[in-house]
Amino acid sequence: KQEVTQIPAALSVPEGENLVLNCSFTDSAIYNLQWFRQDPGKGLTSLLLIQSSQREQTSGRLNASLDKSSGRSTLYIAASQPGDSATYLCAVMNYGGSQGNLIFGKGTKLSVKP
Amino acid sequence: GAVVSQHPSWVICKSGTSVKIECRSLDFQATTMFWYRQFPKQSLMLMATSNEGSKATYEQGVEKDKFLINHASLTLSTLTVTSAHPEDSSFYICSASHDDRVWAHTDTQYFGPGTRLTVL
């Protein structure tokens, strides 16, 4: 059974710092991995999607890497801003099981202090 | 583009009543919609997958008679929590995918803003 773990559960940094969020998954047979952002009481915004054949994806100040064989992904946020404060969720889509079934981690709650 | 809305954004109801939550894709046709549930400080968990015009597929452990899903059109899916109890209190989020590419695992899901259900 696929399990997704995110470390740390919470992170507080001063504005301007570069930071790394970690995601690990137990079953490397995945189609893709996504990073989402969730603001309090809100839905999810997809940040980056990495197909299993890819190693990384970049969007603006965000860079996500994928090492499928070791079951790890990292989300790198450069020059963090207070507006980056949110919960970041990692999710994988498995082979087998329900089609389109995303398996989520519990998230990392990020707070960027001005 | 790719906006998904949910209504209501929050609802409080008495134990034993039924609550209907709507999920709409505003600017695209969604062949497939998904319903997730999120308990506090827990992961989102997929409850069911619905395809327009057919019966929903429920995940293991989700009671299909309690959580009724209807996907009557390409832009609307509804989740009805029947005979709600306090343990059903949760954050319910839907997502929608453009078309059958989700079955090829290449399409992304677009998420609604969620509905906070509190059962007293």
Side-chain angles (χ1 to χ4, degrees):
Chain A
K1 179 187 172 186
Q2 179 75 271
E3 292 183 4
V4 179
T5 303
Q6 290 187 247
I7 295 173
L11 181 64
S12 181
V13 300
E15 182 177 5
E17 216 169 86
N18 302 325
L19 57 99
V20 175
L21 307 181
N22 297 292
C23 172
S24 61
F25 46 96
T26 54
D27 186 347
S28 62
I30 64 170
Y31 280 111
N32 59 49
L33 181 144
Q34 273 188 277
W35 283 94
F36 294 88
R37 169 187 173 134
Q38 184 177 29
D39 292 286
K42 305 285 185 182
L44 278 64
T45 301
S46 179
L47 299 173
L48 292 164
L49 185 153
I50 312 176
Q51 300 293 350
S52 61
S53 58
Q54 297 174 324
R55 297 281 297 183
E56 66 177 341
Q57 284 285 345
T58 298
S59 176
R61 294 183 293 109
L62 305 179
N63 176 278
S65 67
L66 174 64
D67 184 342
K68 201 173 72 163
S69 61
S70 67
R72 291 187 209 163
S73 176
T74 60
L75 178 66
Y76 175 82
I77 302 177
S80 59
Q81 303 171 357
D84 295 330
S85 298
T87 296
Y88 290 80
L89 300 174
C90 167
V92 299
M93 183 177 289
N94 258 19
Y95 286 113
S98 301
Q99 296 285 353
N101 185 4
L102 291 175
I103 300 167
F104 286 83
K106 293 183 180 180
T108 294
K109 186 175 182 179
L110 172 65
S111 176
V112 181
K113 306 292 186 185
Chain B
V3 178
V4 177
S5 70
Q6 280 185 244
H7 177 80
S9 56
W10 59 269
V11 57
I12 301 173
C13 69
K14 292 182 179 179
S15 185
T17 60
S18 294
V19 175
K20 180 186 283 187
I21 302 170
E22 293 186 349
C23 176
R24 293 182 185 270
S25 57
L26 299 185
D27 51 4
F28 67 99
Q29 293 187 327
T31 307
T32 306
M33 287 185 169
F34 304 86
W35 286 96
Y36 293 82
R37 180 168 52 184
Q38 185 180 32
F39 292 107
K41 299 188 178 181
Q42 298 298 315
S43 309
L44 273 81
M45 298 293 292
L46 180 68
M47 299 175 66
T49 303
S50 73
N51 291 294
E52 183 264 339
S54 62
K55 289 184 179 180
T57 301
Y58 290 81
E59 294 301 299
Q60 194 172 13
V62 178
E63 300 174 58
K64 62 180 181 180
D65 294 329
K66 180 170 183 63
F67 299 99
L68 303 178
I69 292 173
N70 184 282
H71 192 164
S73 76
L74 286 171
T75 59
L76 173 64
S77 176
T78 60
L79 168 68
T80 301
V81 183
T82 62
S83 187
H85 287 95
E87 57 265 30
D88 298 323
S89 298
S90 186
F91 194 56
Y92 292 86
I93 303 179
C94 73
S95 70
S97 199
H98 279 97
D99 55 30
D100 286 343
R101 284 177 296 168
V102 72
W103 298 95
H105 307 282
T106 58
D107 199 12
T108 193
Q109 296 176 27
Y110 298 94
F111 285 80
T115 297
R116 172 77 58 194
L117 170 63
T118 302
V119 184
L120 302 177

